[in-house]
Amino acid sequence: EAKQQDYIHWIHAHDTLSDADKAAIAKHIHTFKKPPEISILMPVYNTPEAHLRASIESVLSQIYPHWELCIADD
């Protein structure tokens, strides 16, 4: 438990974007003349619904807007 709390603290201190950071990144992305489209391939097979939803939500919450999500069910 202590290690998990240390990691959570580290994430908040070093790996969390502020609203200003997110705005600056979004502004920079809009300067791209030819923004690349990123394809995210997600193979699934009998994936628990909660995990599938969490994965999709993670993709939807990304700052970079030029992507496609390809979900392949075995």
Side-chain angles (χ1 to χ4, degrees), residues 15-66:
D15 195 30
T16 301
L17 296 173
S18 69
D19 290 340
D21 293 332
K22 293 175 186 177
I25 292 168
K27 183 177 179 181
H28 180 71
I29 289 169
H30 287 298
T31 68
F32 294 179
K33 291 181 180 170
K34 288 185 167 183
E37 183 164 331
I38 297 173
S39 297
I40 303 159
L41 308 176
M42 183 169 46
V44 297
Y45 176 73
N46 291 340
T47 304
E49 182 180 342
H51 293 190
L52 184 58
R53 286 184 182 278
S55 297
I56 293 170
E57 287 298 323
S58 175
V59 174
L60 291 172
S61 69
Q62 298 302 305
I63 296 170
Y64 190 76
H66 307 285

